[in-house]
Amino acid sequence: MATIEEILEVEGLEENIFRGIATETTLPRTFGGQVAGQALVSAVRTVDPRFSVHSLHGYFLRPGNPTMPIVYLVDRIRDGRSFVTRRVSAVQDGQAIFTMAASFQVVDEGIEHQDEMPVVPPPDMLPFARDSDDPETAWLAREWSDWDIRMVGDGELARRSGAAAQQQVWFRSRRKLPDDPVFHVCALTYMSDMTLLGASKVPHPDVQTQSASLDHALWFLRPFRADEWLLYDQTSPSAGFGRALAQGRIFDRAGNLVAAVVQEGLTRFLRSD
């Protein structure tokens, strides 16, 4: 399996044109987090380092071929004094498979507040995902072997009143990653697609569905490191008409809310025809 450094090291082909590698995977299509992460790196390469990415919004248009590299076309939408905007199209075989808008901001000051972190067992008190009796959890550990993933058990969840579906996951890189803060933002973009849509399936454990990410949005709120423990607190407030909405709050171990995620995914019944 490729390392996260290899996955995120996109190659510059021309001004505003980049290429990301194909990686070994057991998935039938390119992992959405890989496409989003490489797209964000491509956008970052066109922005002055004074600006930090604060949000991205992406749409998955077609399944990616996991055996082929992906070309990223960056459109410089706006270069302002406080904000910069980029649009990125990910292309395979001449067709767009993903499109993303990313916004960057210079460091500023304003009001401050945040939600409290849920009270959950610390990661060192939870079993390794690879040792899980649940086949899907064990598969996660094999597919993302460079990441330490630990699921909070159903009986240990910090439940939110009225939440229809909920799950919590601790994760971090097993290896120390580069110190560049932008790298950690791009690494979290990669991992933010991991497990999130699964929150929608918690109330329906025995239902077989066809699943795929449809759109994905991320807001980066505070500094963090992806090689230190992060808690992914996930809910799914609604599912219907073959789609499910999932939301995630990501906290560091000190309780700082570092990122927020919203995703809609395909969750229609498997068809026998």
Side-chain angles (χ1 to χ4, degrees), residues 79-216:
D79 287 278
R81 289 182 297 178
S82 299
F83 289 89
V84 166
T85 306
R86 295 290 184 263
R87 182 169 59 221
V88 186
S89 297
V91 177
Q92 279 185 332
D93 277 337
Q95 292 188 313
I97 64 170
F98 175 76
T99 183
M100 181 185 79
S103 182
F104 300 75
Q105 180 193 21
V106 293
V107 176
D108 211 336
E109 294 183 351
I111 62 172
E112 292 189 23
H113 63 259
Q114 69 155 73
D115 285 351
E116 289 187 6
M117 179 179 174
V119 179
V120 297
D124 48 295
M125 298 294 291
L126 298 171
F128 294 104
R130 65 171 181 262
D131 298 330
S132 174
D133 294 330
D134 175 47
E136 187 166 342
T137 300
W139 171 79
L140 285 172
R142 293 192 300 272
E143 178 68 22
W144 288 280
S145 56
D146 269 4
W147 296 83
D148 192 344
I149 302 167
R150 308 203 187 187
M151 310 293 293
V152 177
D154 184 62
E156 299 170 303
L157 284 176
R159 297 193 179 278
R160 290 197 219 173
S161 176
Q166 191 172 353
Q167 97 178 346
Q168 292 165 330
V169 185
W170 285 101
F171 70 93
R172 68 173 176 182
S173 170
R174 293 184 182 278
R175 298 178 297 102
K176 180 175 172 56
L177 299 177
D179 289 332
D180 180 8
V182 177
F183 182 89
H184 290 263
V185 166
C186 295
L188 183 60
T189 300
Y190 173 88
M191 286 301 289
S192 65
D193 190 39
M194 182 271 302
T195 75
L196 181 56
L197 191 56
S200 68
K201 301 179 184 179
V202 171
H204 317 280
D206 301 319
V207 179
Q208 297 296 311
T209 61
Q210 179 185 356
S211 300
S213 302
L214 296 175
D215 66 340
H216 195 78

Side-chain angles (χ1 to χ4, degrees), residues 212-253:
S213 302
L214 296 175
D215 66 340
H216 195 78
L218 256 166
W219 294 264
F220 303 98
L221 308 175
R222 290 170 180 82
F224 62 90
R225 292 188 64 97
D227 52 8
E228 296 177 353
W229 284 114
L230 297 171
L231 175 69
Y232 207 166
D233 178 43
Q234 305 166 347
T235 60
S236 176
S238 178
F241 304 98
R243 306 186 313 275
L245 182 67
Q247 301 172 337
R249 302 180 301 169
I250 301 178
F251 297 85
D252 65 17
R253 196 163 183 180

